[in-house]
Amino acid sequence: MPTALSISRIHEKLLTDRHITLDLLRADRLHPLISGNKWYKLKYNIARAQTEQVDRLLSFGGPYSNHLHALAYAGQLAGLKTTGIVRGEKVYNKTLADCERWGMQLHFISRAEYRQKDQTDFITRLSTHYPGHYIIPEGGNNESGIKGCGEMLVGIDLQQYEQIVCAVGTGATLSGLINASPEQIPITGFAVLKNGAYLTETVKNNTRRQNWTINSDYHFGGFGKRNNRVLQFMHDFNTAHQIELDFVYTAKMMCGLYDLIEKNNWKNTRILAIHTGGVQGNRSL
Ligand SMILES: *Cc1c(COP(=O)(O)O)cnc(C)c1O
């Protein structure tokens, strides 16, 4: 991992008109193959597995999961075996082909089974079935994952910002960013799934701070769903800035951010938005 992520300043008439500076923290440029926050979430999980002398990692995800993709690669780099439990019937796609190429064993389970993935008896059954595996929750959402996410801000001069924004899936990234940033900088997370109300409770359990909110108005139909508006936004943003966003997370965040700015929020504010990566998932489009 680099000592500090790079930053791109976004130049746009809308922003100049509102006296806003917008910087994008480029976790998407972390690595040519593996990008984004998932990499950070794995750092301390892998370290723990190594301390516990466990040489197999197991986790969960959908067929285009950024998390399984990063896990397969990071596991191979660390010399650990990886197992991916994939939601739904067996499919082949580029994401899973990468995972297999990097040595991950894939096991497909039904959607109904997958829904139990956080329940204790399911995990117990799984540990019996896969003995000697270090089990990482979906999306890397645990204490080690949260701690790692905070490190996306390492080396960044945060004093120059008055607002941080990020996309929210499980809430681990948002929690890590909250814990790693100065209390006077408000943080807004854009939820990418429908019915994200529970996320507030989750994040509350992961932090003692109060300088954050979750905006649930820009899920565009729910997790993994998209409409023409968000796809058009992604396309226009890429054309204007040569920066690819991913349709599941960062395009929704940026579309929400721009919409709120158009509606006169955050005038005269210096904003840091986190590009959490995930562009490999665009291969499903
Ligand atoms: C997983 C992911 C997120 C969401 O992170 P959480 O910690 O689960 O909230 C955001 N952006 C991208 C690109 C992701 O892959």
Side-chain angles (χ1 to χ4, degrees), residues 1 47 67 70 89 105 112 137 143-144 159 163 184-185 240-241 243 245 248 251 258 264 267-268:
M1 250 175 242
H67 169 61
E89 58 209 56
Q105 296 240 5
E143 213 180 305
S144 300
Q159 299 305 328
Q163 174 71 48
Q184 77 276 9
I185 306 179
H241 306 292
I243 297 175
L245 301 169
V248 181
Y258 272 44
N264 281 320
K267 271 187 186 164
N268 305 306

Side-chain angles (χ1 to χ4, degrees), residues 189-222:
F190 286 91
V192 302
L193 35 80
K194 228 192 253 181
N195 309 322
Y198 72 91
L199 285 171
T200 303
E201 280 314 303
T202 311
V203 176
K204 261 189 199 157
N205 290 332
N206 294 335
T207 177
R208 287 198 207 93
R209 302 283 192 77
Q210 283 166 358
N211 55 323
W212 56 275
T213 47
I214 294 180
N215 180 310
S216 302
D217 298 335
Y218 298 95
H219 59 70
F220 297 94

Side-chain angles (χ1 to χ4, degrees), residues 113-265:
E113 268 185 288
Y114 192 87
R115 272 194 290 277
Q116 307 169 23
K117 68 190 177 311
D118 297 325
Q119 290 172 15
T120 323
D121 9 321
F122 182 75
I123 300 289
T124 312
R125 262 187 289 140
L126 209 63
S127 347
T128 325
H129 204 82
Y130 298 100
H133 283 69
Y134 177 90
I135 299 179
I136 303 173
E138 186 186 42
N141 180 23
N142 60 11
E143 213 180 305
S144 300
I146 292 169
K147 182 177 166 197
C149 283
E151 296 192 1
M152 284 198 280
L153 297 176
V154 165
I156 306 301
D157 174 17
L158 290 174
Q159 299 305 328
Q160 55 180 319
Y161 299 109
E162 297 157 316
Q163 174 71 48
I164 296 174
V165 301
C166 71
V168 181
T170 64
T173 302
L174 176 61
S175 305
L177 293 172
I178 295 167
N179 293 337
S181 57
E183 208 149 2
Q184 77 276 9
I185 306 179
I187 307 189
T188 300
F190 286 91
V192 302
L193 35 80
K194 228 192 253 181
N195 309 322
Y198 72 91
L199 285 171
T200 303
E201 280 314 303
T202 311
V203 176
K204 261 189 199 157
N205 290 332
N206 294 335
T207 177
R208 287 198 207 93
R209 302 283 192 77
Q210 283 166 358
N211 55 323
W212 56 275
T213 47
I214 294 180
N215 180 310
S216 302
D217 298 335
Y218 298 95
H219 59 70
F220 297 94
F223 188 73
K225 303 278 194 304
R226 72 268 183 175
N227 61 15
N228 286 338
R229 181 171 165 218
V230 73
L231 292 177
Q232 187 66 48
F233 181 90
M234 234 172 95
H235 177 265
D236 295 346
F237 192 83
N238 198 1
T239 308
H241 306 292
Q242 288 78 53
I243 297 175
E244 189 177 359
L245 301 169
D246 82 298
F247 79 92
V248 181
Y249 296 99
T250 51
K252 292 183 179 181
M253 163 190 79
M254 291 300 284
C255 198
L257 177 66
Y258 272 44
D259 193 54
L260 289 172
I261 289 173
E262 265 164 17
K263 292 174 176 154
N264 281 320
N265 294 276

